[in-house]
Coordinates of all heavy atoms in Angstrom, one line a residue:
T253 N 78.8 110.1 92.8 CA 77.3 110.1 93.1 C 77.0 108.8 93.7 O 77.5 107.8 93.2 CB 76.5 110.4 91.8 OG1 77.0 111.6 91.2 CG2 75.0 110.5 92.1
V254 N 76.1 108.8 94.7 CA 75.7 107.5 95.3 C 74.3 107.2 94.9 O 73.4 108.1 95.0 CB 75.8 107.6 96.9 CG1 75.5 106.3 97.5 CG2 77.2 108.1 97.3
Y255 N 74.1 105.9 94.5 CA 72.8 105.5 94.1 C 72.3 104.3 94.9 O 73.2 103.4 95.3 CB 72.8 105.0 92.6 CG 73.2 106.1 91.7 CD1 74.5 106.3 91.3 CD2 72.2 106.9 91.1 CE1 74.8 107.3 90.4 CE2 72.5 108.0 90.3 CZ 73.8 108.1 89.9 OH 74.2 109.1 89.0
L256 N 71.1 104.1 95.1 CA 70.5 102.9 95.7 C 70.6 101.8 94.7 O 70.3 102.0 93.5 CB 69.1 103.1 96.2 CG 68.4 102.0 97.0 CD1 69.2 101.8 98.3 CD2 67.0 102.4 97.3
D257 N 71.1 100.6 95.1 CA 71.3 99.6 94.1 C 70.7 98.2 94.6 O 71.1 97.2 94.1 CB 72.8 99.4 93.9 CG 73.2 98.8 92.6 OD1 72.6 99.2 91.6 OD2 74.1 97.9 92.6
S258 N 69.8 98.3 95.5 CA 69.2 97.0 96.0 C 68.2 96.4 95.0 O 67.7 97.1 94.1 CB 68.5 97.3 97.3 OG 67.5 98.3 97.2
R259 N 67.9 95.1 95.1 CA 67.1 94.4 94.1 C 65.7 95.0 93.9 O 65.3 95.1 92.7 CB 66.9 93.0 94.6 CG 68.1 92.1 94.3 CD 67.8 90.6 94.4 NE 69.0 89.9 94.0 CZ 69.8 89.4 94.9 NH1 69.5 89.4 96.2 NH2 70.9 88.8 94.6
P260 N 65.0 95.5 94.9 CA 63.7 96.1 94.6 C 63.7 97.3 93.6 O 62.7 97.6 93.0 CB 63.1 96.5 95.9 CG 63.9 95.6 96.9 CD 65.3 95.5 96.3
V261 N 64.9 98.0 93.5 CA 64.9 99.2 92.7 C 65.9 99.1 91.5 O 66.0 100.0 90.7 CB 65.2 100.4 93.5 CG1 64.2 100.7 94.6 CG2 66.6 100.3 94.1
E262 N 66.6 98.0 91.4 CA 67.7 97.9 90.4 C 67.2 98.0 88.9 O 67.9 98.3 88.0 CB 68.6 96.7 90.6 CG 67.9 95.4 90.3 CD 68.8 94.2 90.7 OE1 69.9 94.4 91.1 OE2 68.3 93.1 90.6
H263 N 65.9 97.8 88.7 CA 65.3 97.9 87.4 C 65.0 99.4 87.0 O 64.8 99.7 85.9 CB 64.0 97.1 87.3 CG 62.9 97.6 88.2 ND1 62.9 97.4 89.5 CD2 61.8 98.4 87.9 CE1 61.8 98.1 90.0 NE2 61.1 98.7 89.0
L264 N 65.0 100.3 88.0 CA 64.7 101.7 87.7 C 66.0 102.4 87.1 O 67.1 102.0 87.4 CB 64.3 102.4 89.0 CG 63.1 101.9 89.7 CD1 62.9 102.6 91.1 CD2 61.9 102.2 88.8
P265 N 65.8 103.4 86.3 CA 66.9 104.2 85.8 C 67.7 104.8 87.0 O 67.1 105.1 88.0 CB 66.2 105.3 85.0 CG 64.8 104.9 84.7 CD 64.5 103.9 85.9
L266 N 69.0 105.0 86.8 CA 69.9 105.5 87.9 C 69.4 106.8 88.4 O 69.4 107.1 89.6 CB 71.3 105.6 87.4 CG 72.2 104.4 87.5 CD1 73.6 104.7 86.9 CD2 72.3 103.9 88.9
D267 N 68.9 107.7 87.5 CA 68.5 109.0 88.0 C 67.4 109.0 89.0 O 67.2 109.9 89.8 CB 68.2 110.0 86.8 CG 67.0 109.5 86.0 OD1 66.8 108.3 85.9 OD2 66.4 110.4 85.4
Q268 N 66.6 107.9 89.0 CA 65.5 107.7 89.9 C 66.0 107.1 91.2 O 65.2 107.0 92.2 CB 64.4 106.9 89.3 CG 63.6 107.6 88.2 CD 62.6 106.7 87.6 OE1 62.0 105.8 88.3 NE2 62.2 107.0 86.4
R269 N 67.2 106.6 91.3 CA 67.8 106.0 92.5 C 68.8 106.8 93.1 O 69.4 106.3 94.1 CB 68.3 104.6 92.1 CG 67.3 103.7 91.5 CD 67.9 102.3 91.3 NE 68.6 102.2 90.0 CZ 69.7 101.4 89.8 NH1 70.2 100.7 90.8 NH2 70.3 101.4 88.7
R270 N 69.1 108.0 92.7 CA 70.2 108.8 93.2 C 69.9 109.2 94.7 O 68.8 109.6 95.0 CB 70.4 110.1 92.4 CG 71.5 110.9 92.9 CD 71.9 112.1 92.1 NE 70.7 112.9 91.8 CZ 70.5 113.4 90.6 NH1 71.4 113.3 89.6 NH2 69.5 114.1 90.3
L271 N 70.9 108.9 95.6 CA 70.7 109.3 97.0 C 71.4 110.6 97.3 O 70.8 111.4 98.0 CB 71.4 108.2 97.8 CG 70.8 106.8 97.7 CD1 71.6 105.8 98.5 CD2 69.3 106.8 98.2
A272 N 72.6 110.8 96.8 CA 73.3 112.1 97.0 C 74.6 112.1 96.1 O 75.1 111.1 95.7 CB 73.7 112.2 98.5
T273 N 75.1 113.4 96.0 CA 76.3 113.6 95.3 C 77.4 114.0 96.3 O 77.1 114.3 97.4 CB 76.3 114.7 94.2 OG1 76.0 115.9 94.9 CG2 75.1 114.4 93.2
S274 N 78.7 113.9 95.9 CA 79.7 114.3 96.8 C 79.6 115.7 97.3 O 79.9 116.1 98.4 CB 81.1 114.0 96.2 OG 81.2 114.6 95.0
R275 N 79.0 116.6 96.4 CA 78.8 118.0 96.8 C 77.7 118.1 97.9 O 77.8 119.0 98.8 CB 78.4 118.8 95.6 CG 79.6 119.1 94.7 CD 79.2 120.0 93.6 NE 80.3 120.3 92.8 CZ 80.3 121.0 91.7 NH1 79.1 121.4 91.3 NH2 81.4 121.2 91.0
Q276 N 76.7 117.2 97.8 CA 75.6 117.3 98.8 C 76.1 116.7 100.2 O 75.5 116.9 101.2 CB 74.4 116.5 98.3 CG 73.8 117.2 97.1 CD 72.8 116.3 96.4 OE1 73.0 115.1 96.3 NE2 71.7 116.9 96.0
L277 N 77.1 115.8 100.1 CA 77.6 115.2 101.3 C 78.8 115.9 101.9 O 79.9 115.6 101.5 CB 77.9 113.7 101.0 CG 76.8 112.8 100.6 CD1 77.3 111.5 100.1 CD2 75.8 112.6 101.7
S278 N 78.5 116.9 102.7 CA 79.6 117.6 103.3 C 79.5 117.4 104.8 O 78.6 117.0 105.4 CB 79.5 119.1 102.9 OG 78.3 119.6 103.4
G279 N 80.6 117.8 105.5 CA 80.7 117.7 106.9 C 81.3 116.4 107.4 O 81.9 115.7 106.6
P280 N 81.2 116.1 108.7 CA 81.8 114.9 109.2 C 81.2 113.6 108.6 O 80.1 113.6 108.1 CB 81.4 114.9 110.7 CG 80.9 116.3 111.0 CD 80.4 116.9 109.7
F281 N 82.1 112.6 108.5 CA 81.7 111.4 107.8 C 80.5 110.7 108.4 O 79.7 110.1 107.7 CB 82.9 110.5 107.6 CG 83.9 111.1 106.6 CD1 85.1 111.7 107.1 CD2 83.6 111.1 105.2 CE1 85.9 112.2 106.2 CE2 84.5 111.7 104.3 CZ 85.6 112.3 104.8
D282 N 80.4 110.7 109.7 CA 79.2 110.1 110.4 C 77.9 110.8 110.0 O 76.9 110.2 109.8 CB 79.4 110.2 111.9 CG 80.2 109.0 112.5 OD1 80.5 108.1 111.7 OD2 80.6 109.1 113.7
S283 N 78.0 112.1 109.8 CA 76.8 112.9 109.3 C 76.5 112.5 107.9 O 75.3 112.3 107.5 CB 77.0 114.4 109.4 OG 77.2 114.8 110.7
R284 N 77.5 112.3 107.1 CA 77.3 112.0 105.7 C 76.7 110.6 105.6 O 75.8 110.3 104.8 CB 78.7 111.9 104.9 CG 79.3 113.2 104.8 CD 80.7 113.0 104.3 NE 81.1 113.9 103.3 CZ 82.1 113.8 102.5 NH1 82.9 112.7 102.6 NH2 82.4 114.6 101.5
F285 N 77.1 109.7 106.5 CA 76.6 108.3 106.5 C 75.1 108.4 106.9 O 74.3 107.7 106.3 CB 77.4 107.4 107.4 CG 76.9 106.0 107.4 CD1 77.2 105.1 106.4 CD2 76.1 105.5 108.4 CE1 76.8 103.8 106.3 CE2 75.6 104.2 108.4 CZ 76.0 103.4 107.4
A286 N 74.8 109.2 107.9 CA 73.4 109.3 108.3 C 72.5 109.8 107.2 O 71.4 109.4 107.1 CB 73.3 110.2 109.6
I287 N 73.0 110.8 106.4 CA 72.3 111.3 105.3 C 72.0 110.2 104.3 O 70.8 110.1 103.8 CB 73.0 112.5 104.6 CG1 73.0 113.7 105.5 CG2 72.4 112.8 103.3 CD1 74.0 114.8 105.1
L288 N 73.0 109.4 104.0 CA 72.8 108.3 103.1 C 71.8 107.2 103.6 O 70.9 106.8 102.8 CB 74.1 107.6 102.8 CG 75.1 108.3 101.9 CD1 76.4 107.5 101.7 CD2 74.5 108.5 100.5

Side-chain angles (χ1 to χ4, degrees):
T253 303
V254 184
Y255 298 94
L256 188 59
D257 203 44
S258 57
R259 281 197 179 101
V261 299
E262 65 186 357
H263 66 282
L264 297 173
L266 274 179
D267 64 331
Q268 292 179 23
R269 299 186 278 148
R270 184 173 48 221
L271 299 175
T273 65
S274 51
R275 285 187 177 170
Q276 295 168 322
L277 296 170
S278 60
F281 291 104
D282 278 347
S283 298
R284 294 167 135 198
F285 183 78
I287 291 167
L288 286 177

